[in-house]
Amino acid sequence: MKLLGHVDSLKSQTSIKFAAFIFISVASFYLGKHWSDGSRQLIFFSRQSPSGTTSSSSSIALSPNLNKEFNVSALIDTPEPPRSAKSEGKWASGSLKAPPPPPEFKIYGIVDENGTMSDKFEIGEFDTDLVEKWDNGTEVEAETGKEEVRSTFRVKKFGFCGENMREYIPCLDNVEAIKRLKSTERGERFERHCPEKGKGLNCLVPAPKGYCPPIPWPRSRDEVWFNNVPHTRLVEDKGGQNWISRKGKDKFKFPGGGTQFIHGADQYLNQISKMVPDITFGHHIRVVLDVGCGVASFGAYLMSRNVITMSVAPKDVHENQIQFALERGVPAMVAAFATRRLLYPSQAFDLIHCSRCRINWTRDDGILLLEVNRMLRAGGYFAWAAQPVYKHEEALEEQWEEMLNLTTRLCWNLVKKEGYIAIWQKPLDNSCYLSREAGTSPPLCDQDDDPDNVWYVDLKACISRLPENGYGANVAPWPARLQIPPDRLQSIQIDSYIARKELFRAESKYWNEIVDSYVRALHWKKFQLRNVLDMRASFGGFAAAIIENQLDAWVLNVVPISGPNTLPVIYDRGLIGVMHDWCEPFDTYPRTYDFLHAAGLFSIERKRCNMSTIMLEMDRILRPGGRVYIRDSLDVMDELEDIAKAMGWRPTLRDTSEGPHASYRILTCDKRHG
């Protein structure tokens, strides 16, 4: 009985364990299914209240994954089955999608991913805050797309100025500034008075109605279109002196005469050469200044004798005389003998000429003739054709005596007086000045006076000293002087790491090759090039190349004040030039140049003034149909091209001879508007 009871007891315990095992298994299965069949209510116990504070009683919170679905199979890595030939065919046929290509490796510099130099790269994004902000109608525009951000410059189109500005010269027509002058008795109103910064030209100066392309040289020496300079006052005032006359309704005619040489300039020039045989035009006499030039017939007829003349006159009652001169194709500038130095260097001119130029040379103890003396080359000549030379009226005879007295104190030698012309010669050195009696007026200038410093410099009542080493006096005759490095090359303030003569020759060779390529490739001889302006001339290599390539043009070489003063070298070569600041307007009439050349100008001047200011001034002085060549660094070209388009020019960006990877480009522009 005991054994039977023990067996029953074991059966009972086994049954209980088996029942418990079955129960746990069923419960586990149920719970597992409950968690994995889509039900999302996982319950957690917490001792924290919903507000975040600790509670003594337990609370129940739902899982944060409530109502979220998870694709667990996507988290399991499955090895890619090997491709068979059949599957390859499916990739090719497009029945199966190919995996996306790896992201493109973009290079943002000149070094590639292997650390080697490469010319295949992209420009990265830039900080738009660093983009230069323009004035004068310039705005910066950003365009944004879905896949790229592209920033471009756009310049607002410039409009035309009023008809009353057709002949506007900003620094000489500044009426408000002229009204504020304390005195005008010495000619101050004819000097430069530029508009204040920000108040300059902001529009395109229009041409007169009926404007025509200029008559080509040499025909233009004798006739020009009436509509291009539609003014008849000179005809009325000077027609009887053979200055100018009307030819029909559409032209002006220039007989070649002047107030003091009514029978023609050629006869007058022959007379001067006979008076002083050493005045050999086109040989020892190459560069001439004609003061009070009228319509520049004196300079026009000297050109056939290989002489280049700077013809100057103020914008006075005969205000269009310089405009007529430039329309004829003769070098000329608006300039006045008043209170400041003229913008030409010392010892610039081999001969200075004044024929009835209406200047009182002896006023203020001869300060104006002292300015002539500064610009006249050592050993050079001053020719004066005026009434005091030949008339025997008491007042005129007094003027002649005053002139004789002054020129004697200046150590000038009266070489010849014949008829109505008197010719003096300047000494070759300072010996005469130093041998004068003590206290003789005018005195020599101080040793520290720079006679080549001319930009807004007042006239000085002293005699400019000649260099003790003879620099400036010993120039070779023309045409040899064009390519011979002059002595004054050594006095130019430049940083030169090689011999200056080699630098001079290298520049001449450089420009000669470039201009030669322009003539051959761009057919310059077919262009109507006559009046040319080199806006940054250096030693005048570009102008020399124009002569060497036998282009029938003359070049005015501009030396910016932002660089070294190379004007003495330019004049010693037998060329002409002027000092200027391109942040200010130029002293010439609108539409007076056929061709503007600017090499390396904008990359320098952009640090000082707005590039659109310079470009608008270029448009003012450029004739309709004229051309512009800008040779400069690549970083200024986009801006210049946009400004050119905004002015109505037709720009073309070209590679230099160095090729497309050079840091320089050439921007050629045609002015199409009138």
Side-chain angles (χ1 to χ4, degrees):
M1 288 293 293
K2 287 182 180 180
L3 180 60
L4 183 59
H6 183 66
V7 172
D8 291 336
S9 175
L10 289 174
K11 287 183 179 181
S12 175
Q13 291 179 5
T14 300
S15 298
I16 292 172
K17 290 180 179 180
F18 181 78
F21 174 78
I22 294 299
F23 176 79
I24 292 172
S25 299
V26 172
S28 298
F29 176 81
Y30 175 80
L31 289 175
K33 184 176 185 304
H34 182 72
W35 286 342
S36 61
D37 65 353
S39 179
R40 294 172 293 275
Q41 292 189 2
L42 297 181
I43 300 174
F44 297 87
F45 290 90
S46 174
R47 287 188 175 272
Q48 217 173 23
S49 66
S51 63
T53 58
T54 304
S55 175
S56 58
S57 60
S58 299
S59 63
I60 299 175
L62 296 178
S63 167
N65 292 326
L66 178 65
N67 295 325
K68 292 184 179 180
E69 296 183 358
F70 299 92
N71 184 7
V72 180
S73 61
L75 301 177
I76 302 173
D77 292 333
T78 56
E80 183 180 348
R83 292 185 183 180
S84 62
K86 185 176 181 181
S87 64
E88 291 287 352
K90 291 181 179 179
W91 289 115
S93 63
S95 59
L96 291 177
K97 291 184 178 180
E104 182 183 358
F105 187 85
K106 292 187 177 182
I107 304 172
Y108 292 98
I110 61 173
V111 179
D112 62 17
E113 67 273 21
N114 298 320
T116 58
M117 299 289 286
S118 171
D119 59 359
K120 296 180 180 180
F121 59 88
E122 295 184 14
I123 305 299
E125 296 181 358
F126 60 90
D127 187 352
T128 55
D129 293 336
L130 298 179
V131 175
E132 179 184 359
K133 295 182 179 179
W134 297 352
D135 297 323
N136 278 339
T138 305
E139 67 177 15
V140 178
E141 180 186 80
E143 299 179 1
T144 306
K146 293 182 179 180
E147 298 181 356
E148 63 176 358
V149 176
R150 181 169 60 90
S151 296
T152 60
F153 293 108
R154 188 180 68 182
V155 184
K156 293 178 180 177
K157 188 175 181 180
F158 293 100
F160 283 97
C161 309
E163 290 293 320
N164 62 334
M165 296 179 68
R166 291 185 311 187
E167 292 160 6
Y168 178 60
I169 305 177
C171 293
L172 301 178
D173 292 331
N174 190 351
V175 178
E176 294 181 1
I178 293 173
K179 287 180 179 178
R180 293 194 297 267
L181 291 174
K182 296 179 180 179
S183 173
T184 58
E185 62 181 14
R186 288 179 171 80
E188 291 89 344
R189 67 183 180 277
F190 301 126
E191 295 181 311
R192 289 173 60 84
H193 305 286
C194 297
E196 297 177 8
K197 189 175 181 180
K199 296 184 179 180
L201 198 65
N202 197 27
C203 53
L204 307 175
V205 175
K209 293 180 180 178
Y211 182 88
C212 303
I215 295 172
W217 181 268
R219 282 176 50 213
S220 63
R221 188 193 72 173
D222 302 324
E223 61 182 18
V224 300
W225 295 114
F226 173 83
N227 285 339
N228 291 8
V229 191
H231 299 281
T232 59
R233 176 162 181 173
L234 278 178
V235 176
E236 298 162 2
D237 292 350
K238 300 294 182 179
Q241 299 171 1
N242 270 346
W243 277 33
I244 184 174
S245 61
R246 286 290 296 271
K247 183 180 179 181
K249 293 183 178 180
D250 60 347
K251 289 181 181 178
F252 287 110
K253 181 181 178 181
F254 302 94
T259 303
Q260 208 65 54
F261 46 95
I262 60 174
H263 299 297
D266 263 333
Q267 180 180 334
Y268 180 68
L269 293 170
N270 290 336
Q271 181 182 355
I272 291 175
S273 295
K274 289 178 182 178
M275 288 175 63
V276 183
D278 287 340
I279 297 180
T280 52
F281 292 120
H283 190 60
H284 287 102
I285 304 299
R286 161 62 184 173
V287 186
V288 171
L289 178 69
D290 186 19
V291 181
C293 63
V295 293
S297 289
F298 182 79
Y301 281 82
L302 273 173
M303 301 200 85
S304 62
R305 303 180 185 221
N306 285 323
V307 174
I308 188 164
T309 305
M310 175 63 77
S311 301
V312 298
K315 190 178 181 182
D316 55 10
V317 292
H318 304 138
E319 63 177 38
N320 298 102
Q321 52 192 331
I322 295 298
Q323 190 175 16
F324 276 116
L326 288 161
E327 186 68 22
R328 296 176 72 182
V330 180
M333 279 192 70
V334 183
F337 280 83
T339 67
R340 299 186 193 130
R341 285 178 171 175
L342 273 69
L343 302 177
Y344 315 114
S346 66
Q347 299 196 77
F349 302 101
D350 307 318
L351 182 145
I352 296 179
H353 171 256
C354 161
S355 174
R356 296 284 289 272
C357 55
R358 306 197 314 171
I359 294 177
N360 182 3
W361 294 115
T362 59
R363 79 159 170 88
D364 296 332
D365 202 20
I367 196 168
L368 300 182
L369 200 62
L370 287 168
E371 176 64 358
V372 169
N373 183 76
R374 181 189 69 84
M375 297 185 293
L376 188 60
R377 190 176 300 281
Y381 297 92
F382 177 70
W384 190 37
Q387 289 181 341
V389 176
Y390 64 94
K391 283 197 173 183
H392 298 288
E393 299 173 8
E394 182 178 354
L396 295 175
E397 286 181 344
E398 287 181 3
Q399 292 178 26
W400 172 249
E401 290 300 323
E402 290 176 358
M403 188 69 168
L404 272 181
N405 180 275
L406 175 60
T407 54
T408 300
R409 287 182 281 125
L410 291 178
C411 291
W412 287 8
N413 177 35
L414 180 58
V415 180
K416 190 80 172 181
K417 178 187 176 186
E418 183 178 292
Y420 48 85
I421 306 173
I423 301 176
W424 287 266
Q425 186 176 23
K426 179 180 176 177
L428 287 167
D429 53 38
N430 296 320
S431 59
C432 175
Y433 304 138
L434 298 173
S435 64
R436 296 181 306 167
E437 293 183 6
T440 301
S441 177
L444 280 172
C445 295
D446 295 336
Q447 292 278 4
D448 60 354
D449 175 66
D450 181 2
D452 297 322
N453 183 20
V454 297
W455 188 248
Y456 287 113
V457 175
D458 291 338
L459 294 176
K460 297 185 179 182
C462 59
I463 300 173
S464 298
R465 295 174 182 266
L466 292 170
E468 296 295 338
N469 51 20
Y471 284 3
N474 303 317
V475 294
W478 183 263
R481 67 191 278 188
L482 181 64
Q483 299 297 352
I484 295 177
D487 292 336
R488 288 201 284 181
L489 181 65
Q490 305 303 322
S491 62
I492 303 301
Q493 300 296 318
I494 58 174
D495 294 328
S496 177
Y497 296 99
I498 60 174
R500 295 182 180 219
K501 291 184 178 180
E502 278 66 32
L503 184 65
F504 174 91
R505 293 190 180 100
E507 188 203 80
S508 295
K509 182 180 179 183
Y510 172 78
W511 282 116
N512 195 53
E513 290 177 353
I514 288 176
V515 172
D516 179 67
S517 69
Y518 288 164
V519 171
R520 288 184 289 102
L522 301 178
H523 311 292
W524 270 23
K525 288 193 175 180
K526 294 182 179 179
F527 292 173
Q528 187 174 318
L529 297 183
R530 178 59 189 170
N531 302 358
V532 177
L533 188 71
D534 190 359
M535 301 176 68
R536 183 172 175 262
S538 187
F539 296 137
F542 178 79
I546 293 288
I547 295 172
E548 294 286 8
N549 281 271
Q550 300 180 346
L551 292 166
D552 203 2
W554 59 269
V555 180
L556 181 59
N557 297 279
V558 179
V559 174
I561 66 166
S562 55
N565 184 2
T566 56
L567 274 178
V569 173
I570 288 171
Y571 276 89
D572 288 354
R573 298 186 74 171
L575 306 171
I576 58 172
V578 66
M579 180 72 70
H580 186 60
D581 180 358
W582 283 114
C583 295
E584 297 183 5
F586 194 67
D587 287 343
T588 192
Y589 282 86
R591 303 172 301 279
T592 48
Y593 285 90
D594 303 299
F595 185 86
L596 306 180
H597 179 255
L601 176 74
F602 287 94
S603 54
I604 294 175
E605 300 297 359
R606 70 183 305 191
K607 303 169 186 175
R608 303 176 56 246
C609 49
N610 196 292
M611 291 202 291
S612 60
T613 301
I614 302 175
M615 291 282 279
L616 282 167
E617 179 63 5
M618 293 168 68
D619 181 85
R620 186 183 72 85
I621 65 181
L622 186 65
R623 288 170 169 170
R627 291 177 169 85
V628 175
Y629 275 41
I630 300 172
R631 189 182 187 93
D632 219 316
S633 58
L634 188 58
D635 61 340
V636 300
M637 284 303 175
D638 286 344
E639 184 176 346
L640 291 175
E641 190 172 7
D642 285 346
I643 297 171
K645 291 177 181 177
M647 295 192 304
W649 292 2
R650 189 175 70 183
T652 303
L653 194 60
R654 304 174 184 270
D655 293 330
T656 64
S657 58
E658 288 85 0
H661 300 293
S663 59
Y664 276 68
R665 293 289 187 276
I666 302 170
L667 184 66
T668 64
C669 304
D670 296 340
K671 178 178 175 178
R672 292 303 180 191
H673 70 80

